[in-house]
Amino acid sequence: MRIRAVLFDADGVIQVPTVDWRATLRTFLRPDQSAEEFVLDLMTSERPSLTGKGDFREATAEVLRRWEVSTPVAEVLALWEQFAAVPEAIDVVQELRAAGIPCHLATNQQAYRREIMNDRRNYGQWFDRSFYSCDLGVAKPDPAYFKAIVTAIDLPPSSVLFVDDTAPNIDGAREAGLYAEQFDLSSGVPVLRGLLHGYGLPVATDDPEQRQQG
C-alpha cells in the first residue's frame, strides 16, 4: 500500500463552528414551535443546493416564511459563516504537502458557503485542489462523489486516503475503492497525526512508538 494523495473533509476535520448555531436557530422561533423540526426543515431544504440544484438563499427564505419567522434571511444565513479553520489541522495538511503528498479538500457545501470558504477565506491556498459537492453535482456519501475526484486527480482509488468525521461518508469512500478513516477534531489533532502516520505518511507524531516505527 502506498498512499499518493489525501482527501480532507472540512467540517469536523479541519474546521469547527464558532457558535452554537442550533441554539441560535431556536431563538428565532415562537415558544410553541419545535426547534428540532425547524432545524430539520432547514437541513432538508439545503440538500438540493449541496449538489448545485437550487439556491440555498431562496430555500432558506421559503423555510422562514413557512415558519413565520420574522428574522431577516441575511441574519439567519450569517450562521453559516460562523466557523473557523483549526491552525493545528492546517499545519498537518501543509506538512504532507511539503513532503510531496498532494492534499485535496473534499467537502459537501452549497454555493453560498463555498463562496465563503473558497473566495473570501482563500481555503484553496491550503490545498492542491478543492472539490465542493455543489460544483461536482454529487455529494457524499454517494460513491460517485469520490469516483469523480479520483478521476480528476488521475489516481487509482486504492492510492488515495480520505479523512472524514461521518461514518456514512467513510462507507461511501470505501465503496468507491478508497482508503478511508473516521476522525473528528474533538479527539485532538494528535489523533489525526497518528492516523496518517499509520498509513506511512510523513507527518510528525508525539507517540514515541510511532516515531520509532517511522
Side-chain angles (χ1 to χ4, degrees):
M1 176 188 66
R2 180 178 172 229
I3 299 299
R4 297 170 59 189
V6 183
L7 310 180
F8 289 90
D9 175 41
D11 296 295
V13 174
I14 66 160
Q15 68 186 24
V16 293
T18 53
V19 297
D20 185 339
W21 60 272
R22 287 179 180 269
T24 303
L25 285 172
R26 293 189 189 100
T27 68
F28 302 150
L29 300 175
R30 300 190 310 265
D32 63 308
Q33 293 177 308
S34 168
E36 290 72 19
E37 291 181 9
F38 178 57
V39 171
L40 178 60
D41 200 0
L42 277 171
M43 296 301 99
T44 301
S45 73
E46 182 186 33
R47 287 174 190 164
S49 60
L50 292 177
T51 55
K53 302 174 180 67
D55 187 298
F56 179 58
R57 297 174 182 84
E58 294 177 1
T60 301
E62 176 57 34
V63 171
L64 298 185
R65 283 193 293 270
R66 191 158 54 241
W67 284 78
E68 300 179 339
V69 172
S70 60
T71 306
V73 175
E75 186 175 334
V76 176
L77 289 175
L79 288 176
W80 271 258
E81 302 182 31
Q82 306 305 311
F83 63 91
V86 175
E88 294 82 2
I90 300 303
D91 286 345
V92 174
V93 175
Q94 301 318 303
E95 281 184 39
L96 288 172
R97 295 181 70 202
I101 303 296
C103 294
H104 310 292
L105 183 64
T107 180
N108 281 354
Q109 305 291 343
Q110 19 80 0
Y112 176 78
R113 205 151 186 253
R114 187 267 320 273
E115 187 269 335
I116 297 167
M117 295 169 64
N118 194 67
D119 301 341
R120 293 194 223 165
R121 303 192 187 179
N122 299 313
Y123 271 42
Q125 67 184 323
W126 299 326
F127 296 91
D128 291 275
R129 296 186 65 176
S130 298
F131 296 98
Y132 293 91
S133 61
C134 61
D135 295 327
L136 294 180
V138 62
K140 299 177 283 186
D142 191 330
Y145 173 86
F146 302 100
K147 292 176 182 178
I149 293 178
V150 296
T151 297
I153 62 178
D154 195 24
L155 285 176
S158 58
S159 69
V160 179
L161 172 65
F162 171 62
V163 182
D164 194 285
D165 64 326
T166 306
N169 294 342
I170 296 300
D171 294 339
R174 288 175 177 168
E175 186 176 339
L178 287 72
Y179 286 95
E181 294 291 340
Q182 190 169 359
F183 164 77
D184 191 291
L185 276 166
S186 61
S187 63
V189 173
V191 172
L192 175 61
R193 288 182 173 278
L195 182 156
L196 296 169
H197 190 277
Y199 278 85
L201 290 164
V203 293
T205 173
D206 294 330
D207 187 322
E209 182 177 341
Q210 289 182 336
R211 283 201 301 268
Q212 291 173 4
Q213 292 173 352

